[in-house]
Amino acid sequence: MPMTEQATGAHHPQPRARNGGSSAATVEHVTGAQSLIRSLEEVGADTVFGIPGGAILPAYDPMMDSTRVRHVLVRHEQGAGHAATGYAQATGKVGVCMATSGPGATNLVTPIADAHMDSVPLVAITGQVASKAIGTDAFQEADICGITMPVTKHNFLVTKAEDIPHTIAEAFHIASTGRPGPVLVDIAKDALQAQTTFSWPPTQDLPGYRPVTKPHAKQIREAAKLITQAKRPVLYVGGGVIKAGATAELKVLAELTGAPVTTTLMALGAFPDSHPLHVGMPGMHGAVTAVTALQKADLIVALGARFDDRVTGKLDSFAPYAKIVHADIDPAEIGKNRAADVPIVGDAREVLADLVQAVQAEHNDGHVGEAARTGYSAWWKDLNRWRDTYPLGYDLPEDGSLSPQQVIQRIGQLAPEGTIFAAGVGQHQMWASHFIQYEQPATWLNSGGAGTMGYAVPAAMGAKAGMPDRTVWAIDGDGCFQMTNQELTTCALNNIPIKVAIINNGALGMVRQWQTLFYNQRYSNTVLHSGADTEGVPAKGTRVPDFVKLSEAMGCHAIRCEDPADLDKVIEEANSINDRPVVIDFIVHEDAMVWPMVAAGTSNDEVMAARGVRPDFGDNEDD
């Protein structure tokens, strides 16, 4: 695989190798396995999530002696991968997971693909059969490099012990620089067992890998001119701004220009939800104001975003009046889905810092259009009218049962400051994005690009392991929870006291919503409880499994909540327990839906604020 930069977003700074005393100058005689653990120590890896097995077993013996690398024994390799992702997203450091060959390695494919889609810095280390057995269909052999090539930023097959240190150093460098992403290091068992020497730092040789971080000054000036001449600009902010650590610069640019800011699902927290310039999240289930602002804009400044189909809807009808400034560290993303009038390749933090200076220069020179001089007052008059007319909201169930939106909203309101929220995928994910306020970066973790069910519990586990002093809530659905809940055992046994809210509507909620809207309420295989009636609604009182009993069996404190009157009490009880994981089974109304919504394959102009309610924005203007 050629060493080319493939990115959307931005980067974490390159991890500095930590030299343990005289190790940088001293040659040590070690096994390949010892060399691996020493290398992990030197690159600063402090936590590894994994499961031992035959091919990787040599590495587990020296890991037992390490005082700098903590190993967390998970219950499934998928849990190890998502935990490493959660760790990376919460801390900004490279997440590390480890598995043996064959099925151990293939169980990492989903979290690796997930990390690839969301540009998460991850290093996955797998054992491989002995080098002479590769290609013979040996016991537990799988070509994990070939399998993961499409979903890794790069991968390595190591068959010689002496190659281990520089490979680990290169893997961490590639994962964390440019556009972050997952890197796989597959190491043959005989390379782990062989005798070798270890010295640090190794020489890195990565020809062709030269991520561009500094944007071109001419492109910055052109972007600044467009911003100051626009009448209806929008700052379209993606997850790359968080990855670049560029949230402070974003706030300066937004307040300097007065332009509205919309943050994608991966960028929540990049700009404070409470800020008056924030118009919400765009996309299929985005806020009406955010979706419409992009549609009506005459200029979109895309920062670390990739014009994902969930944001654009039907691509050829997206933002028909807008010129595009597209800034991204990955040149492959620019022009991929939407042609850019001003393409800018660079790190989001440097792009934003330079844009601030260039826009200020335009102001100082008096080269500012009338709209910009007034803080885009006419544009904000429209935006505020839409915001007031079509706010996010929900109705409480008439039967007095729990509203899932209310549950999630109260969890957010009662959570300690700085709480990290990890969400699964589906309705609860969208409600968590809407009804919890995100004021800081790295407080919202979710599977955006891949949409991986089962992400929340292990990701929360990884986040808590990396940020032990922060409260971590997993907002999960009863469908997602049943995919990876075994990691609660890992949490209980490793002093990782996460809190889990199961939004239990007895069904695969988002799929059921689509069946309601598009399949004539034919609920084929979306009811999760046994004893469902013919209408596809779970029979009252039927709970298989019983999540409270299941969670208690895994060492958790577990509570069931069905009455809205008990809502605050059980959430406060969960927040007060910090010596073990807490699980709350919230039995919620099964018919709640996620609104707003743009139906798949349709134009964002057809956004529905609620079922059957299509906003009226008046005629489009092409100024």
Side-chain angles (χ1 to χ4, degrees):
M1 179 178 177
M3 289 307 306
T4 55
E5 174 57 11
Q6 330 169 324
T8 153
H11 77 291
H12 295 304
Q14 178 184 353
R16 297 183 182 275
R18 299 190 308 185
N19 295 323
S22 61
S23 64
T26 302
V27 174
E28 302 175 30
H29 296 278
V30 295
T31 65
Q34 290 171 317
S35 177
L36 171 62
I37 303 307
R38 291 286 288 111
S39 298
L40 290 174
E41 291 176 340
E42 294 301 329
V43 294
D46 54 31
T47 306
V48 175
F49 303 91
I51 301 180
I56 196 65
L57 194 58
Y60 272 80
D61 186 66
M63 189 164 8
M64 192 174 185
D65 299 324
S66 176
T67 59
R68 290 157 61 180
V69 177
R70 174 194 185 189
H71 183 270
V72 177
L73 176 62
V74 299
R75 267 50 191 170
H76 191 286
E77 289 89 356
Q78 183 179 355
H82 291 317
T85 290
Y87 172 96
Q89 290 175 315
T91 66
K93 297 189 287 188
V94 177
V96 185
C97 54
M98 189 175 287
T100 194
S101 63
T106 58
N107 280 343
L108 287 176
V109 172
T110 293
I112 289 172
D114 179 270
H116 182 68
M117 288 288 278
D118 288 346
S119 304
V120 178
L122 187 76
V123 171
I125 300 168
T126 53
Q128 183 54 275
V129 299
S131 54
K132 289 184 179 179
I134 293 175
T136 68
D137 293 331
F139 177 67
Q140 290 192 331
E141 181 187 359
D143 177 12
I144 196 61
C145 286
I147 290 168
T148 61
M149 187 171 286
V151 292
T152 50
K153 189 174 175 184
H154 191 63
N155 59 40
F156 299 87
L157 173 61
V158 180
T159 57
K160 297 179 180 178
E162 59 264 31
D163 292 337
I164 290 173
H166 77 79
T167 301
I168 293 298
E170 289 167 4
F172 274 74
H173 176 72
I174 294 167
S176 60
T177 55
R179 176 186 187 170
V183 176
L184 179 124
V185 180
D186 194 33
I187 309 176
K189 187 173 184 177
D190 53 327
L192 292 172
Q193 294 171 319
Q195 291 294 315
T196 185
T197 57
F198 175 83
S199 63
W200 197 269
T203 301
Q204 295 185 42
D205 183 22
L206 295 171
Y209 182 70
R210 299 287 184 270
V212 174
T213 59
K214 185 67 176 174
H216 195 288
K218 179 178 181 294
Q219 301 301 87
I220 292 289
R221 290 194 298 271
E222 290 299 316
K225 289 176 183 177
L226 286 180
I227 292 170
T228 52
Q229 296 301 318
K231 295 180 180 179
R232 300 185 303 278
V234 177
L235 302 182
Y236 160 38
V237 176
V241 169
I242 291 178
K243 291 175 174 64
T247 56
E249 290 80 2
L250 170 64
K251 191 167 183 282
V252 172
L253 179 66
E255 292 177 346
L256 173 63
T257 63
V261 178
T262 179
T263 49
T264 68
L265 184 68
M266 294 306 299
L268 296 181
F271 193 77
D273 278 358
S274 60
H275 198 289
L277 294 177
H278 190 245
V279 295
M281 181 181 78
M284 173 178 277
H285 292 293
V288 169
T289 306
V291 172
T292 309
L294 290 171
Q295 287 300 97
K296 303 288 188 180
D298 66 353
L299 174 68
I300 292 175
V301 182
L303 301 161
R306 57 190 179 89
F307 291 90
D308 175 74
D309 62 287
R310 281 300 191 259
V311 169
T312 65
K314 188 178 179 183
L315 187 60
D316 60 11
S317 67
F318 174 71
Y321 314 114
K323 290 186 176 180
I324 303 294
V325 173
H326 192 177
D328 204 292
I329 199 162
D330 182 0
E333 288 295 346
I334 297 176
K336 184 179 81 173
N337 293 327
R338 175 68 179 256
D341 297 278
V342 179
I344 303 174
V345 178
D347 172 75
R349 190 172 186 178
E350 297 202 34
V351 168
L352 280 161
D354 288 358
L355 268 179
V356 167
Q357 291 189 355
V359 169
Q360 189 65 64
E362 292 292 309
H363 280 273
N364 294 342
D365 293 341
H367 300 155
V368 179
E370 182 179 347
R373 268 197 302 274
T374 64
Y376 309 108
S377 58
W379 181 217
W380 273 107
K381 184 177 179 181
D382 287 339
L383 293 166
N384 286 327
R385 185 177 74 252
W386 302 334
R387 190 152 57 179
D388 293 341
T389 307
Y390 305 105
L392 293 171
Y394 56 90
D395 296 321
L396 296 176
E398 294 180 359
D399 63 2
S401 59
L402 273 176
S403 156
Q405 300 98 319
Q406 183 184 24
V407 169
I408 292 169
Q409 186 174 52
R410 289 304 288 160
I411 290 172
Q413 290 168 344
L414 295 173
E417 185 176 354
T419 293
I420 297 170
F421 299 92
V425 170
Q427 288 181 314
H428 62 281
Q429 176 190 27
M430 295 297 104
W431 289 323
S433 71
H434 284 319
F435 297 112
I436 295 174
Q437 279 212 320
Y438 301 98
E439 302 295 311
Q440 303 170 30
T443 55
W444 164 249
L445 318 179
N446 82 124
S447 171
T452 306
M453 291 180 68
Y455 167 92
V457 169
M461 175 175 71
K464 183 67 173 176
M467 306 290 282
D469 296 331
R470 301 276 284 277
T471 299
V472 179
W473 271 95
I475 310 293
D476 220 357
D478 48 329
C480 287
F481 182 72
Q482 292 186 74
M483 293 193 171
T484 52
N485 63 54
Q486 72 278 348
E487 300 311 333
L488 287 172
T489 301
T490 309
C491 292
L493 294 176
N494 288 274
N495 190 29
I496 305 175
I498 65 171
K499 306 176 195 306
V500 181
I502 306 172
I503 308 302
N504 185 353
N505 62 1
L508 298 171
M510 187 63 85
V511 184
R512 188 177 190 274
Q513 175 168 331
W514 282 47
Q515 289 173 333
T516 300
L517 296 174
F518 308 120
Y519 291 89
N520 298 315
Q521 301 179 36
R522 288 166 55 83
Y523 300 115
S524 173
N525 291 284
T526 45
V527 177
L528 292 171
H529 289 269
S530 61
D533 65 26
T534 55
E535 298 300 318
V537 179
K540 299 298 181 184
T542 304
R543 298 190 182 98
V544 179
D546 184 318
F547 291 135
V548 170
K549 292 180 179 178
L550 179 63
S551 300
E552 288 175 343
M554 289 188 282
C556 303
H557 180 79
I559 317 165
R560 178 169 291 115
C561 182
E562 300 183 68
D563 188 341
D566 297 331
L567 183 56
D568 284 15
K569 180 180 69 175
V570 299
I571 294 171
E572 288 167 349
E573 180 181 340
N575 283 328
S576 71
I577 297 171
N578 293 301
D579 61 348
R580 58 196 183 280
V582 181
V583 176
I584 308 178
D585 183 17
F586 290 103
I587 309 300
V588 300
H589 197 276
E590 65 269 7
D591 288 329
M593 292 195 188
V594 178
W595 301 108
M597 181 176 181
V598 178
T602 65
S603 169
N604 283 355
D605 288 325
E606 299 177 48
V607 60
M608 292 181 288
R611 187 171 184 175
V613 178
R614 188 157 288 153
D616 180 10
F617 300 109
D619 295 332
N620 290 337
E621 299 178 39
D622 187 3
D623 294 333

